Each structure stands twice: as structure tokens, then as C-alpha cells.
Amino acid sequence: MTQAAAAPAREALAAHGAETIAKGSKSFAMASLLFGRDMQADVQMLYAWCRYCDDVIDGQDLGQDAPDADLSADEQARRLDVLKADTHRAMRGEFVGHPAFDGFSIVARKHKMPERYAMDLLDGFAMDVARAPFVAMNDTMQYCYGVAGAVGIMMAIVMGVDPEDEATLDRACDLGLAFQLTNICRDVIDDARGGRIYLPAELLAAHHLKPETASILSPVNRVAVFNAASHLLDCADQYYNSASQGVRMLPPRAAAAVAAARNVYRDIGRLVRERGPDAWVDRPYTSTARKAWLAAGGVLTGAPQSFVLKASGAAPRGDLWRRPL
């Protein structure tokens, strides 16, 4: 196939990615506008693959609907096997016939993406399929790595980070971990209604809660649930702070976009804290105007970090959870 004939195919796949991110995540869609045209398309195609895999496992449509209660564990496992097989094909450059996979194939081969990160994401979804209880904080962190930390790593590689630069990839992983910990706190009640608990049992026990959905959902326990979620948000803050140290290693426009997304997403935790035990009366929501203001703040700090601080060393990560290598 000639380069001229291949170009329209990429253009169509990029359009699918842009449409997916616009519908699936307004915050990330806003941040992605800060990238150059080619990087923006690559980020959006990667997002489209991640979003599609997540939706297939949960029986969702762009993450907007509650998990499908009629989707059996066996059906989820079957779907996961298909996703793994199609992802392997995409990574080998084979035509899969779905824009999410064919766009991902272009991105993965272009940036020499190690296949293990794509598999780590699917392994994270496998933890949802297995419905194994999260006993210790390590269980929650392992899940957060699979479904979000690995995504952060893949995004960083698309943004130009060397796949062998483990130190910078650690910081990208930290941002994904922070995002997912924030998600868990925002969605703790909705998740419990869907039969899922991502707060570790040891944290629940520390707040006199049982690792049971009835305990999470009981109105008399709402203060205790808020206190447990607040503890997890404190953990998320440590990973946001660590991730901020890695922004300097990105190209200026990518640094601006990542800092913008960080600011917007971190604000969800602020909303949960401000609302207190009433945080889940309705879904915490950041207004469009505030998102724009937070994103602008990210731009004003992220790009200069890339120019000024790239040569200086990042602060140590300390004893934060470490991803598997």
C-alpha cells in the first residue's frame, strides 16, 4: 500500500480517536488540545483503545452507564480473552478491523511501545473480572497500576519519553495512580451499588467498616466512608506531587497538557473533601469555567518546567508504591 493510500486510513482512525475522547472524557479532551497535531492524534487513538477495552469488559458505552448486571463473569472472561488476542494482533501490525485496535496499532508501532504495558492494562481489567477482594493497600495499588498507571506510562511514551527511561515512566505511572485513586473516592458509592469495593479491607476496618457493599451503602456509615475516602485522597496527593516532578521531562506542549489534566482531575478530590459525607448525593462535578481556569494554570506551570527544570534532578519518590518491572 502506498503512503498516499495509507494516509486517509490514519486520518479516519484519528477522527475516531478524537470523537471517542470528546464523548468519553471532556477533561482529557480539553488537555489534548494543547498537543501538536500529530501527538494529539496519537494520544487520542491510544485513549480510544483504552476506552474501548474498558467498555467491553464493563458492558458500558463510553464509561457513562453503570456496569451491566446481566454480564456474567464467564462472559467478561470471554471478552477479555478476545481483547487480549486482538491486542496481540494489533501490536504485531495486523489489521483487526476495529478503529480502536487499528488506531492503537499505528500508535504502538510508531512509538515502539513495549507490549507488556498493554497487557498490564488488560490484566488490571482481569482483576475486575475475577472480583477478588482487595484486602491490603497493595491490592488496591496493583489494580490502580493495571487500569491507570500502565496507561500513564503508555501516554508518556507517546509523548516522547524513551521506553527505557524507567525513572520518568515511574512519574507517569504515579499520575495514573493518582487519577485512579481519585476515581475510587469519587465513585465509591456508585461502585458499591454495582457490587464493587476498591477500598482495601484493612482501610475499611480502620474506620469500623466491613468489606461489604451493605456496609458501604448504609446511610449510618456515611461519615466513616467519607473518612476512609479522605485517607485515600491523601494517598492520591502524594502521587500527584510525585508525578509533578516528572512533568519537566516532557516536551513543552506535552508538559503543558499533562499539567493541565493533572490540575483538572485533582480538583475532583477537592470537591469530595469540601462536600464531606454528602459528597455522593450527586456526582462531584467541576464546572467548565473552573476546568478552563485550572487547565490554564497547568499550562502556565507545565511548559516553563519543561524549559527550565529539565536539566535539574527530580525529588526522590521516597517510599511510594512501586510498579512491577
Side-chain angles (χ1 to χ4, degrees), residues 51-260:
R51 178 78 270 165
Y52 176 80
C53 292
D54 195 3
D55 285 348
V56 165
I57 292 297
D58 283 345
Q60 295 179 331
D61 181 13
L62 293 171
Q64 298 302 310
D65 301 321
D68 188 343
D70 295 328
L71 206 61
S72 69
D74 286 343
E75 173 59 16
Q76 284 184 307
R78 185 196 68 78
R79 291 183 176 200
L80 183 61
D81 287 341
V82 172
L83 290 175
K84 286 184 176 180
D86 285 344
T87 299
H88 280 304
R89 292 172 59 198
M91 296 292 287
R92 291 195 300 265
E94 296 180 21
F95 177 71
V96 177
H98 190 285
F101 287 97
D102 295 329
F104 176 66
S105 179
I106 290 174
V107 173
R109 289 180 291 120
K110 174 181 176 181
H111 297 280
K112 298 180 173 57
M113 186 83 67
E115 187 170 339
R116 68 179 183 273
Y117 297 127
M119 293 299 111
D120 284 347
L121 172 66
L122 296 179
D123 285 344
F125 295 150
M127 294 179 71
D128 265 331
V129 173
R131 298 293 179 102
F134 290 8
V135 177
M137 191 64 185
N138 184 68
D139 298 323
T140 297
M141 296 307 298
Q142 182 65 47
Y143 173 75
C144 289
Y145 167 71
V147 301
V151 177
I153 290 172
M154 289 188 284
M155 286 289 183
I157 292 172
V158 168
M159 293 176 200
V161 176
D162 188 331
E164 301 298 323
D165 183 357
E166 301 291 356
T168 301
L169 295 182
D170 278 342
R171 305 297 180 151
C173 178
D174 285 342
L175 187 58
L177 296 175
F179 284 170
Q180 191 60 31
L181 289 170
T182 303
N183 276 344
I184 289 172
C185 296
R186 179 194 62 194
D187 299 336
V188 59
I189 298 301
D190 285 344
D191 287 335
R193 290 180 181 134
R196 300 180 181 185
I197 301 175
Y198 297 108
L199 295 168
E202 64 180 17
L203 176 60
L204 295 173
H207 294 278
H208 310 290
L209 294 163
K210 296 179 180 178
E212 302 169 357
T213 56
S215 181
I216 301 294
L217 294 173
S218 174
V220 302
N221 290 335
R222 199 50 52 88
V223 172
V225 171
F226 172 74
N227 290 336
S230 295
H231 177 90
L232 213 61
L233 286 173
D234 290 341
C235 292
D237 282 339
Q238 296 179 56
Y239 292 95
Y240 279 119
N241 292 338
S242 176
S244 295
Q245 293 287 316
V247 170
R248 69 189 69 190
M249 301 309 298
L250 299 173
R253 293 184 70 164
V258 168

